[in-house]
Amino acid sequence: MEILNDYKPLFRSKPDSRYFLITGGRGSGKSYTVNLFLLNLTYESGHIILFTRWTMTSAHISIIPEFLDKIEVMNLQADFEITQNEIINKRTGSKILFRGIKTSQGTATANLKSISGVTTWVLDEAEELVDENVFDRIDLSIRTKETPNRVILVMNPSFKSHWIYQRWISKPIPDTTYIHTTYLHNKRNLSQSFIEQAERVRESNISRYNHLFIGDWLDDAEGLLWNRLMIDRCRISQRPELVRIVVSIDPAVTASLESDETGITVLGKDSEGRGYLLEDLSGKYSPNEWSNVATQAVKNWNADCIVAEKNQGGDMVESMIRQHDKVTRVILVTATKGKYVRAEPVYSMYEQNKVFHVGTFPILERQMISFDPEKGKSPDRVDALVWGFTELLMKKELNFAVWID
């Protein structure tokens, strides 16, 4: 793959600025180029590169293979030692550390700040970090004197209310290199089928094309069911006393770079029939991993059952759960109506202020806002949310699914 001219400022040995804000739509080449730059940077001595996402589950499945692909293409396997969450350049000792910002106990900001000698911080999928204070705390810890510091934010443009837009885009600031590319810049590196797909979207839905492929920022009112104002309105900091808790799963049956995520949410209900989103544990997992995560959540939250979509794997879903938990009730659900029909009653509960989010869930909430029930596959996190709240709040009222205990 040929490096685009737009990215050449990133490869300068003495950077022009501390911050690099790298944005673009699908097929823009931003992830490929940043990963290539990081591998190249490890050939300089003295670098500790912190590569973060909001959540970092199974880096060896979801992220490190992308780096391995580039190492193999360049035939540099002998230069690197690779573990489940680190890539070390054996020639120089420089390394890339893969970490998540969110943990099951909250945020890992203190742990990330304590990593000594970090010279470069990459915040990948930066749109998922909604707390500007978390960014600032990590940012201020990147201060090595001997080696140039870089803070690199890589993202698909999100909503204009996002703090990154307010801080960098609404009024460009100094000490920042801005790089924005689209698939149009990167055509020579893309397949003809991808280009044709983009053109079909452009002809059928120009606003969707502008956001997904051109990388336009969205107004908050553009959510097709949920929108940012609705979700922010339902946010609370502490949960009340709950009468019931469930763990819901929209399972993936394989684990690879191309696999879907497994949606896993923990949901509760109070004595007045109001619903609460308590935890989002979704991610790219193997079947053994997601079944372990789900059954561990049952124990942690004292949930009374697991709700799982039967369409994805049938009896395999329950058999995987039973390897980790022999006693928890498993409710398998089968979709018999369209995605909008399934999601709309849950959305209606949000409209009526009968559902609350206990804390922030940036990835899930972004999927909720961008969910278009008439186009494409619904996000797995949203599916898990819908299945769980349907079981908790509306099972007796609705008859659009077959429920099998």
Side-chain angles (χ1 to χ4, degrees):
M1 179 171 177
E2 186 177 345
I3 297 174
L4 304 181
N5 287 333
D6 306 71
Y7 291 97
K8 288 184 177 178
L10 183 63
F11 285 81
R12 292 173 185 157
S13 58
K14 292 185 178 180
D16 295 333
S17 51
R18 175 182 178 86
Y19 300 102
F20 289 79
L21 180 58
I22 300 175
T23 59
R26 292 181 183 174
S28 62
K30 59 185 184 299
S31 295
Y32 181 98
T33 308
V34 169
N35 294 351
L36 188 64
F37 161 72
L38 297 179
L39 289 174
N40 183 71
L41 191 60
T42 67
Y43 282 91
E44 297 179 11
S45 299
H47 281 288
I48 296 179
I49 301 161
L50 176 62
F51 187 107
T52 65
R53 287 180 177 172
W54 174 244
T55 56
M56 183 70 74
T57 55
S58 305
H60 63 289
I61 294 175
S62 60
I63 299 176
I64 288 180
E66 298 176 13
F67 286 83
L68 280 172
D69 177 63
K70 295 164 187 62
I71 291 170
E72 291 171 359
V73 167
M74 295 183 290
N75 198 28
L76 297 173
Q77 297 95 318
D79 288 352
F80 293 94
E81 176 186 345
I82 300 169
T83 69
Q84 288 202 337
N85 55 16
E86 294 185 8
I87 295 177
I88 303 163
N89 190 312
K90 293 188 286 187
R91 289 191 178 189
T92 64
S94 291
K95 62 180 70 175
I96 307 172
L97 313 178
F98 298 91
R99 301 289 188 269
I101 295 174
K102 179 184 179 297
T103 68
S104 58
Q105 287 76 39
T107 61
T109 311
N111 292 336
L112 298 177
K113 286 171 57 182
S114 68
I115 300 174
S116 62
V118 174
T119 62
T120 297
W121 174 31
V122 179
L123 178 58
D124 193 38
E125 299 182 350
E127 68 273 15
E128 295 173 358
L129 179 59
V130 297
D131 189 340
E132 186 174 3
N133 292 326
V134 170
F135 174 85
D136 287 336
R137 288 195 291 272
I138 301 173
D139 178 25
L140 292 173
S141 71
I142 314 300
R143 52 178 184 264
T144 55
K145 293 178 62 176
E146 296 78 13
T147 308
N149 297 157
R150 296 175 179 88
V151 176
I152 304 170
L153 298 91
V154 186
M155 66 184 299
N156 297 311
S158 179
F159 288 82
K160 292 179 180 178
S161 60
H162 199 288
W163 65 269
I164 291 178
Y165 182 90
Q166 299 298 321
R167 183 163 170 169
W168 272 290
I169 303 296
S170 61
K171 185 178 180 181
I173 62 174
D175 202 20
T176 302
T177 297
Y178 293 86
I179 299 173
H180 181 86
T181 55
T182 74
Y183 80 100
L184 297 171
H185 298 84
N186 195 36
K187 271 188 171 183
R188 60 182 174 271
N189 295 315
L190 298 173
S191 68
Q192 185 60 33
S193 63
F194 179 90
I195 295 169
E196 290 172 356
Q197 178 193 26
E199 291 303 307
R200 285 195 296 270
V201 175
R202 182 179 64 82
E203 293 172 2
S204 63
N205 189 332
I206 189 63
S207 61
R208 183 176 175 83
Y209 168 83
N210 287 338
H211 176 56
L212 291 182
F213 293 98
I214 303 303
D216 285 355
W217 292 77
L218 294 175
D219 293 320
D220 290 321
E222 294 184 54
L224 294 161
L225 278 177
W226 293 274
N227 60 58
R228 177 65 61 189
L229 293 176
M230 177 188 295
I231 293 173
D232 286 343
R233 185 185 67 207
C234 75
R235 197 179 315 285
I236 60 176
S237 59
Q238 292 184 326
R239 67 181 185 274
E241 184 175 345
L242 302 174
V243 298
R244 190 181 178 202
I245 295 175
V246 304
V247 175
S248 58
I249 313 175
D250 181 68
V253 295
T254 60
S256 69
L257 287 176
E258 292 74 32
S259 298
D260 294 331
E261 284 191 326
T262 290
I264 305 175
T265 59
V266 182
L267 310 168
K269 180 174 74 171
D270 66 16
S271 59
E272 301 296 322
R274 293 181 290 254
Y276 298 85
L277 171 60
L278 304 172
E279 191 168 19
D280 176 20
L281 296 167
S282 308
K284 283 196 175 184
Y285 302 115
S286 67
N288 184 62
E289 287 173 328
W290 61 247
S291 55
N292 182 54
V293 169
T295 53
Q296 191 60 49
V298 169
K299 297 174 185 176
N300 294 342
W301 288 94
N302 195 28
D304 67 70
C305 72
I306 292 174
V307 181
E309 186 178 4
K310 185 179 181 181
N311 301 46
Q312 300 294 328
D315 294 337
M316 183 274 287
V317 174
E318 184 166 8
S319 67
M320 292 305 305
I321 292 170
R322 290 299 175 222
Q323 291 182 24
H324 302 279
D325 185 331
K326 305 294 185 186
V327 297
T328 299
R329 185 165 61 116
V330 176
I331 299 175
L332 298 178
V333 295
T334 303
T336 60
K337 295 289 180 69
K339 289 177 286 189
Y340 182 86
V341 175
R342 298 200 304 271
E344 196 278 336
V346 174
Y347 161 76
S348 178
M349 299 291 281
Y350 278 84
E351 276 195 314
Q352 300 171 55
N353 294 322
K354 293 182 178 179
V355 172
F356 301 90
H357 290 194
V358 186
T360 59
F361 305 89
I363 309 176
L364 171 57
E365 290 169 3
R366 179 165 55 87
Q367 289 187 353
M368 292 170 68
I369 292 168
S370 60
F371 168 44
D372 183 347
E374 302 304 323
K375 295 182 181 292
K377 185 182 184 300
S378 53
D380 306 284
R381 296 169 193 252
V382 174
D383 277 345
L385 179 90
V386 168
W387 289 125
F389 274 140
T390 300
E391 162 65 20
L392 268 179
L393 307 178
M394 291 167 286
K395 182 176 176 181
K396 294 181 180 179
E397 301 173 20
L398 300 175
N399 191 31
F400 60 73
V402 177
W403 299 84
I404 307 173
D405 288 352

